[in-house]
Amino acid sequence: MMRLPTTTPPVSMTLRLQYFDDVPIMPYTRLLGGGSPHEGGPVWPDWERQTTARHCRKGQPCDHPPIILPIEDILAEPVAWAGPIVPHFGHQLAEFSLRILPTLAEWPDAVFAFAANPPRKITSLATAPGFFREILAWFGVAPERTRVLVKPTLAARLRVAPQAEQLGRIGPAPDYLDLLDTLTRKRLGRPGRRGRLYVSRAGQSARFAGERYLETALAAAGVAVFRPERVALAQQLRRYAVAEHVIFAEGSALHGTQLLGRALGRVSVLCRRPSSRLAEVFVQARAQSLEYLDCGAQLIYGLDATGRIADSRALTVLDEALLLDRLEWLGIPLRRYWDSAQYQAACADDIREWLVSFAQSPRLAVPGSRERILACLAACGFAALAPAIDAPTPPIR
């Protein structure tokens, strides 16, 4: 159930701001697509020799050179490069918000430049996701200190801090956590911890089958149930910090903890994908303890438009006996409130709902997608539900 992490050394905060003159900044043309291409942003001088200024994973640059277009605007004021704006909460936090606090540590009055993301129709703060504006507010960056660059722009004076953490198991350095500790105390004070909290994905399409029933049983067993998407970001972070024990359904909510310092108590993660250790090095650094609970997860998924496995959108079917064992091991008397027939019925309802939704997507027509789904249904014991994928589309009311 628990595995000790193997980590890459954290990013050193001794890498301070770098200073550049006359840097072209291009709107993004590709971002977080198949293979996660990253194409846009600053055209750094000596591109191949740059490392920390470019977007990195696993300690190495993973971005592509931006497509260079004719300059249409000039930004004369000094600005700090922050990154792109994306509609995915987890990636915005885990990849594209990690230069802000290191910059503020050296330049408290920094003005931040973000390049627009036209493919996702993000061209201003107003069209950015609400959570993005909440991230800026958490860091204390007022809207008037941001510049979202829609046109190819020449930045006369551009500063850039390293990413404080990176995907690819590079966690935070102690001095970055010190900065976050100070910020967390400023935002939340020093709250006492009590109780258990379950951070649910039952309101998401990619979730555990039967998760709404699981919510009901956990609540009956005395666990507070929380859907983070229903409340403001600062309230989410407060709920995590005040709980003695937080149980996360594996997902992007884990990345929300990257806005906190060493503020978490015990953290447990119910794995949504086999052997997944999502956000492990990030949470480990902030929690008193961390464990990942494998409950025999099997996935129901199809293919995306490019023919790749679309397991990020999968519905997860857990082994019921393992699920109960793991939660009882945590000290939750779940069996006392559990009805197996109701749980299995809830799983079947969720699978039908997922199948009907997938059937309405163009992804069903991708060669091999239907066959993949049928194989997944058979593997997790729900082959009898296969006809739902061919059910008539419900009328629009």
Side-chain angles (χ1 to χ4, degrees):
M1 287 188 291
M2 181 177 178
R3 182 173 62 85
L4 294 175
T6 55
T7 65
T8 307
V11 175
S12 172
M13 287 293 291
T14 59
L15 295 172
R16 299 301 182 184
L17 290 177
Q18 296 182 72
Y19 292 71
F20 295 89
D21 294 330
D22 299 325
V23 178
I25 302 177
M26 300 294 142
Y28 280 89
T29 49
R30 292 194 297 168
L31 196 60
L32 296 181
S36 295
H38 184 285
E39 187 177 79
V43 184
W44 300 110
D46 298 320
W47 177 268
E48 295 299 332
R49 296 184 180 183
Q50 297 295 341
T51 300
T52 58
R54 290 172 56 186
H55 185 67
C56 294
R57 291 179 176 176
K58 301 180 181 179
Q60 297 297 323
C62 64
D63 50 0
H64 298 180
I67 295 175
I68 299 176
L69 302 171
I71 295 297
E72 298 181 31
D73 202 357
I74 295 177
L75 195 59
E77 63 183 328
V79 295
W81 173 243
I85 307 170
V86 297
H88 191 289
F89 177 80
H91 280 282
Q92 186 66 56
L93 283 168
E95 298 206 77
F96 305 130
S97 300
L98 294 165
R99 303 185 195 269
I100 295 175
L101 192 55
T103 300
L104 292 171
E106 187 171 337
W107 184 17
D109 299 322
V111 174
F112 288 93
F114 299 85
N117 186 353
R120 296 301 185 98
K121 298 181 171 55
I122 299 173
T123 55
S124 66
L125 278 184
T127 58
F131 64 72
F132 175 75
R133 295 187 290 275
E134 292 182 282
I135 291 169
L136 293 181
W138 179 262
F139 285 124
V141 178
E144 57 268 23
R145 291 170 55 195
T146 63
R147 306 288 183 266
V148 180
L149 307 180
V150 179
K151 302 175 182 178
T153 299
L154 184 69
R157 289 172 290 172
L158 186 61
R159 306 173 187 180
V160 59
Q163 294 163 254
E165 306 178 75
Q166 294 176 22
L167 290 187
R169 304 191 63 79
I170 296 184
D175 42 1
Y176 182 62
L177 287 171
D178 292 343
L179 293 175
L180 285 169
D181 284 342
T182 300
L183 178 62
T184 301
R185 285 193 295 270
K186 183 177 180 180
R187 298 285 181 259
L188 303 181
R190 296 178 183 271
R193 296 194 188 109
R194 65 181 183 276
R196 287 192 178 96
L197 180 70
Y198 176 64
V199 183
S200 175
R201 286 184 59 89
Q204 309 296 320
S205 58
R207 61 182 187 270
F208 298 125
E211 190 164 2
R212 282 168 285 200
Y213 178 79
L214 175 61
E215 286 183 328
T216 301
L218 285 169
V223 178
V225 173
F226 181 52
R227 296 189 186 181
E229 69 273 13
R230 292 180 171 179
V231 304
L233 179 59
Q235 187 176 342
Q236 295 173 35
L237 300 177
R238 179 174 292 278
R239 293 293 298 271
Y240 305 154
V242 302
E244 183 178 355
H245 183 188
V246 185
I247 304 163
F248 284 92
E250 177 209 322
S252 291
L254 283 163
H255 289 298
T257 67
Q258 290 182 254
L259 292 171
L260 297 170
R262 304 172 182 92
L264 300 172
R266 181 182 183 182
V267 176
S268 305
V269 182
L270 287 181
C271 296
R272 199 162 46 88
R273 290 165 285 197
S275 302
S276 174
R277 296 297 181 265
L278 181 71
E280 184 176 35
V281 297
F282 311 137
V283 180
Q284 183 90 35
R286 293 162 167 87
Q288 289 184 344
S289 66
L290 173 65
E291 61 247 339
Y292 286 77
L293 308 178
D294 290 311
C295 300
Q298 297 194 70
L299 306 183
I300 300 173
Y301 59 89
L303 306 179
D304 66 16
T306 66
R308 293 186 177 93
I309 290 172
D311 56 356
S312 64
R313 299 174 176 175
L315 188 69
T316 300
V317 179
L318 298 178
D319 181 294
E320 182 181 359
L322 284 177
L323 173 64
L324 291 170
D325 285 346
R326 301 298 189 251
L327 293 175
E328 291 269 345
W329 178 78
L330 294 179
I332 301 170
L334 199 61
R335 284 190 173 90
R336 189 182 306 169
Y337 306 97
W338 193 263
D339 185 301
S340 181
Q342 289 187 35
Y343 174 68
Q344 291 298 323
C347 287
D349 287 344
D350 282 351
I351 292 169
R352 288 190 195 93
E353 179 184 311
W354 188 92
L355 290 171
V356 169
S357 176
F358 196 94
Q360 297 173 41
S361 163
R363 297 190 301 274
L364 183 63
V366 174
S369 195
R370 176 191 295 270
E371 292 75 15
R372 174 76 64 170
I373 292 170
L374 295 178
C376 291
L377 288 172
C380 63
F382 285 95
L385 299 182
I389 204 168
D390 297 311
T393 302
I396 298 175
R397 297 180 180 179

